[in-house]
Amino acid sequence: MTFAQQKQSTNALLSRICRAKEQLPTPHFLDLFQHELARALALCLNMDEAHVSRALTLHPKQIADYDATSPCFSLKNDLVNWINLMTSQDNDHWGELYQKMYSKKTRQLQGEFYTPLWLTRHLWDRARFHCEQDTPLIPLRIVDPACGSGSFLLACADSMFAAGFPAETVMDSLFGFDINPLSVLICRANILLACMRRLSVQKRNQWGESWTRLESGYSPIGVYLYDSIQGVPLSEDFILPPREYFNQRFDVVVGNPPWINWDKLSDVYRQETYPLWIQYGLFSLSGQEARLGGAKKELASLMLYRVADRFLENKGILAMVLPWSLFQTQKSGEGFRSMRLGPRGDHLGILEIDDFTNCPPFPGIMSRCGTLVLRKGVPTVWPVPCRKWSILADGQRSFSQESVSPLQPDRPVSPWIVSGHNDLPIASTTQYQPQLGCNSAGANNIFWFEMVAPGKKLCRVRNLTSCGKTEVEQCEIELETALLFPLLRWKNIDTFKACPSGFVLITQDASTRRGIPESVMKEHYPRTFDYLCRFESILRKRACTRKLQKGTPFWSMYNVNEKTFAPFKVVWRRMDNRLRAAATGPDKQTGRPIVPQETCCLIAVDSMQEADYLAAVLNSDAVQNRVKSLCVAQTRGFGSPGIFAHLGVEKFDPLCQEHIAFAQQGKRARGLID
């Protein structure tokens, strides 16, 4: 479809809609629009008109109050032509049409800003990113409390379809509320089209037949006329489910709330909502401060707090487009920045922010905006990652990775400032080469021990039988101390913290990277040799002896080299939801090098100072966000050695003051935890 055809079709439809809108009272126009829209969608989808009407109808029809057969009010043909032309396009054309039905001034008074498709997808992707760390591949219950034409819900639907969810699941997962009945109708039409187009005609009508059995007031599409802030249906004239329906909670709240200043609200609405502003601490100023401009409160802030309180599950995710003034205004944004549902309420922990102040997303609107993603029930950990967006010379959008912190670190309600990471020692390449920890190839219950009685030459130990893939006998025996090293397991590592638990028997020659020869084992480590022979049949069944290290001693291991025994290391866990790096030195009790298991990574370094430096850099927000952009959390690839090449961490220079500062930061953090 050419741009000229698109414009011609839209203008033709818009002309007829505006003519009907001018000639009919609002309730009658709404009846007309929903009637003609149902007829058009039924034709486009080859569905029974009664079924489509059941899904769309919001207001009882009063067709007798106007001549619905008049050419002046016949919208069906234009709607059919427009739908057929537009549904093949990758855009929310309903939203664009809705925008043109109201003047810019009217939309600004109502705080309505049409959210462009790229921004709805970006914000939903960020919300989904944090959800999938907790519940991957599980259908989520999603609500947009100010849904408009449904652009955010469509972005959610597209991602669910891409993930393989059926249309029935998608429709059951999406919910939306709005105070404009026309928005509700258009949003329902958007979702209906998105879901029905993925079904056969037979399936559409079978599904439509089931809608006729729904209780009165319910629509198969969970989008209703409702004030998400006040928590009340707007009028008894509309078909709505019982009020209990609106007491649901959701996994995700996403959207673009109305942007209206307190002083632009009607006197009635201010009076009705005033207790809520007080309840959530959004009015925290003296009378004088309010008179001096501090009372320029944004309705968007009240909606965020209200829907987080009423709709969001504990640990649920909220993602919204917001005025940037809420983040940085000195006085009027203080209540918003408390990020807590009242003095004793749940915390709203900010996970990330996008700064669009240099990349205005709303065409023709210069209001500065940002997006915020938070998790209910957890406090904010500062600094918060932030993407600062800009527009390049060729018109493309780009961002730099920065962070947001309160101007006064001890006062989170103080204005939030964006700071860059230019002070981080990040280069295009790195000299550091990480590797995996020691791998017993599935025989941890043979190679891992707890210490019973330490000794200089021999130690009495007991193997950890619960740690392997097959059952083995438990043995309490004496083994050569030279082959036993403090073991660092996955669970022993956290940010700036690494505490070994147990010991690992290393039967690999670090220089040849092969199992210690049998002759050497018999001569120098006879007790270890006798112990391993007890489990020879089990050890020979491992892949490393059957395939990958065929012909080597049956006690051979993986990932053991000279760096494994470096006294100073930085370690972190793989398959985690974030990179948790810790500096380690020789074990405090034995003085021996600490050896991580294979689900961890290590980098051998020359000193404890270098280890502290590297741990501080790896735990920084800049590196954390880069890691999250490179791999999926809680998968095998997360935190693997391969991603390190993309981090570009500079090699430690003991003469560089910047590096020394990071080393001191790492040492302080380690000392606080130790």
Side-chain angles (χ1 to χ4, degrees):
M1 179 181 62
T2 66
F3 176 77
Q5 288 175 310
Q6 179 179 329
K7 186 175 181 180
Q8 182 180 2
S9 177
T10 301
N11 288 342
L13 176 60
L14 190 63
S15 175
R16 285 191 176 277
I17 289 176
C18 290
R19 195 182 315 163
K21 193 168 178 286
E22 290 170 0
Q23 296 185 22
L24 292 172
T26 298
H28 295 170
F29 168 73
L30 187 64
D31 297 336
L32 169 71
F33 188 78
Q34 69 182 14
H35 176 68
E36 296 294 278
L37 185 57
R39 294 174 66 199
L41 286 172
L43 282 173
C44 293
L45 295 170
N46 291 318
M47 291 182 67
D48 189 306
E49 184 180 327
H51 298 162
V52 178
S53 294
R54 183 66 181 80
L56 291 185
T57 299
L58 179 68
H59 193 265
K61 291 185 175 64
Q62 298 175 5
I63 301 295
D65 291 325
Y66 56 87
D67 183 5
T69 63
S70 168
C72 177
F73 300 137
S74 179
L75 306 176
K76 183 192 70 174
N77 291 337
D78 288 303
L79 277 167
V80 168
N81 293 334
W82 187 80
I83 291 169
N84 286 333
L85 283 171
M86 296 300 182
T87 51
S88 61
Q89 304 299 304
D90 188 22
N91 213 335
D92 173 22
H93 295 286
W94 290 100
E96 295 175 7
L97 181 68
Y98 173 76
Q99 258 199 132
K100 294 176 181 178
M101 292 168 63
Y102 295 92
S103 69
K104 179 179 177 180
K105 183 177 180 180
T106 299
R107 285 185 286 110
Q108 286 181 327
L109 287 173
Q110 296 175 345
E112 294 183 353
F113 293 89
Y114 171 71
T115 314
L117 185 66
W118 67 266
L119 182 54
T120 62
R121 288 178 172 172
H122 169 75
L123 187 56
W124 166 243
D125 285 344
R126 300 312 304 161
R128 184 182 60 178
F129 168 80
H130 292 286
C131 290
E132 289 181 348
Q133 295 185 51
D134 304 323
T135 54
L137 303 180
I138 294 177
L140 302 167
R141 288 169 52 81
I142 305 156
V143 66
D144 183 343
C147 62
S149 61
S151 57
F152 280 100
L153 296 178
L154 286 182
C156 301
D158 288 343
S159 71
M160 292 183 72
F161 287 131
F165 290 107
E168 295 93 330
T169 300
V170 173
M171 187 176 284
D172 288 343
S173 299
L174 303 180
F175 299 82
F177 306 133
D178 204 283
I179 63 172
N180 188 326
L182 194 58
S183 295
V184 173
L185 281 175
I186 291 177
C187 184
R188 285 183 177 180
N190 248 333
I191 294 175
L192 186 71
L193 272 171
C195 293
M196 292 298 104
R197 286 164 54 204
R198 287 168 169 80
L199 300 174
S200 66
V201 173
Q202 181 181 5
K203 182 66 175 177
R204 293 173 195 172
N205 283 294
Q206 288 176 350
W207 197 5
E209 179 64 31
S210 69
W211 299 343
T212 61
R213 296 188 290 273
L214 290 173
E215 293 182 33
S216 176
Y218 286 94
S219 168
I221 305 169
V223 179
Y224 292 100
L225 192 70
Y226 188 73
D227 186 330
S228 297
I229 293 177
Q230 291 188 277
V232 294
L234 294 182
S235 172
E236 299 299 329
D237 296 335
F238 293 91
I239 302 174
L240 295 171
R243 293 197 178 198
E244 292 75 21
Y245 176 89
F246 301 101
N247 294 331
Q248 304 179 66
R249 290 192 178 271
F250 303 89
D251 302 302
V252 185
V253 174
V254 64
N256 184 1
W259 295 17
I260 310 176
N261 281 332
W262 165 264
D263 55 1
K264 300 294 184 183
L265 297 172
S266 69
D267 291 340
V268 172
Y269 201 79
R270 280 188 290 196
Q271 184 177 357
E272 290 174 345
T273 60
Y274 181 74
L276 295 175
W277 294 89
I278 298 299
Q279 175 184 337
Y280 297 118
L282 298 174
F283 270 172
S284 57
L285 306 177
S286 68
Q288 183 178 8
E289 288 174 325
R291 287 191 295 272
L292 293 175
K296 291 278 185 183
K297 304 295 185 181
E298 278 280 356
L299 186 64
S301 65
L302 179 59
M303 175 166 279
L304 183 148
Y305 273 72
R306 186 62 168 156
V307 299
D309 189 14
R310 293 191 63 241
F311 295 147
L312 195 57
E313 291 276 12
N314 188 42
K315 300 298 189 294
I317 297 295
L318 181 146
M320 280 190 173
V321 184
L322 297 167
W324 191 255
S325 59
L326 290 174
F327 303 158
Q328 292 192 324
T329 50
Q330 183 72 27
K331 292 294 184 180
S332 62
E334 277 195 1
F336 168 80
R337 292 192 294 270
S338 70
M339 287 290 113
R340 193 167 187 180
L341 298 174
R344 296 180 179 82
D346 289 328
H347 287 281
L348 301 177
I350 305 172
L351 301 175
E352 61 178 68
I353 288 173
D354 282 271
D355 177 359
F356 291 103
T357 56
N358 295 326
C359 180
F362 305 116
I365 305 295
M366 295 309 296
S367 298
R368 302 196 311 162
C369 85
T371 62
L372 176 148
V373 182
L374 62 81
R375 187 186 298 277
K376 182 179 179 180
V378 298
T380 300
V381 178
W382 302 101
V384 170
C386 175
R387 283 172 291 271
K388 189 172 182 64
W389 292 81
S390 59
I391 300 178
L392 302 178
D394 60 359
Q396 297 296 310
R397 291 178 291 274
S398 178
F399 69 85
S400 59
Q401 190 63 63
E402 306 189 5
S403 66
V404 168
S405 301
L407 183 61
Q408 300 169 258
D410 59 340
R411 287 190 72 244
V413 298
S414 64
W416 298 342
I417 56 172
V418 178
S419 58
H421 289 289
N422 296 327
D423 55 335
L424 284 173
I426 301 297
S428 57
T429 59
T430 182
Q431 297 180 41
Y432 290 113
Q433 299 296 326
Q435 66 180 53
L436 296 175
C438 172
N439 190 346
S440 70
N444 288 343
N445 51 2
I446 297 174
F447 288 91
W448 289 8
F449 299 86
E450 60 178 327
M451 183 65 67
V452 177
K456 188 173 182 180
K457 292 185 178 180
L458 295 175
C459 294
R460 178 163 290 277
V461 292
R462 185 184 302 115
N463 60 322
L464 300 175
T465 56
S466 62
C467 297
K469 295 183 178 180
T470 58
E471 288 189 12
V472 300
E473 67 172 314
Q474 187 166 68
C475 305
E476 184 176 315
I477 56 171
E478 288 188 334
L479 298 178
E480 287 80 6
T481 303
L483 298 184
L484 290 167
F485 293 83
L487 170 65
L488 195 63
R489 299 168 65 175
W490 192 91
K491 67 179 183 180
N492 302 145
I493 300 175
D494 207 336
T495 305
F496 292 114
K497 180 180 180 181
C499 301
S501 65
F503 289 79
V504 58
L505 179 67
I506 302 293
T507 56
Q508 200 83 340
D509 186 323
S511 59
T512 63
R513 303 192 67 174
R514 297 171 70 87
I516 296 173
E518 183 174 334
S519 59
V520 175
M521 187 70 80
K522 287 180 177 179
E523 180 180 354
H524 295 285
Y525 312 108
R527 292 176 182 265
T528 299
F529 177 78
D530 290 340
Y531 166 76
L532 293 171
C533 286
R534 297 187 186 189
F535 305 103
E536 181 175 355
S537 62
I538 296 174
L539 294 175
R540 287 194 180 279
K541 292 177 182 178
R542 297 176 303 153
C544 67
T545 51
R546 288 189 295 108
K547 299 178 182 178
L548 302 179
Q549 296 189 36
K550 192 174 182 180
T552 62
F554 63 82
W555 50 75
S556 295
M557 309 173 80
Y558 289 128
N559 308 329
V560 177
N561 57 29
E562 292 177 347
K563 292 182 179 180
T564 304
F565 304 105
F568 304 104
K569 305 180 184 75
V570 172
V571 296
W572 65 89
R573 314 192 306 193
R574 295 191 298 121
M575 300 177 287
D576 207 345
N577 58 6
R578 61 169 286 138
L579 200 67
R580 305 169 197 270
T584 67
D587 180 50
K588 293 178 180 179
Q589 294 182 349
T590 65
R592 309 210 74 194
I594 294 173
V595 175
Q597 73 169 115
E598 79 284 352
T599 53
C600 308
C601 292
L602 67 93
I603 294 177
V605 295
D606 297 328
S607 66
M608 199 64 194
Q609 185 184 31
E610 184 175 8
D612 284 329
Y613 153 81
L614 192 53
V617 172
L618 293 180
N619 287 324
S620 68
D621 288 329
V623 171
Q624 294 292 330
N625 287 316
R626 191 172 295 191
V627 169
K628 288 180 179 179
S629 70
L630 292 170
C631 48
V632 180
Q634 296 180 321
T635 63
R636 287 185 176 272
F638 187 88
S640 64
I643 69 165
F644 207 84
H646 303 286
L647 300 182
V649 178
E650 287 182 0
K651 176 70 175 173
F652 177 68
D653 181 359
L655 300 179
C656 175
Q657 292 301 314
E658 182 184 19
H659 292 190
I660 292 173
F662 271 92
Q664 291 172 342
Q665 176 186 338
K667 182 179 180 180
R668 285 195 300 270
R670 175 169 53 86
L672 289 172
I673 293 172
D674 289 344

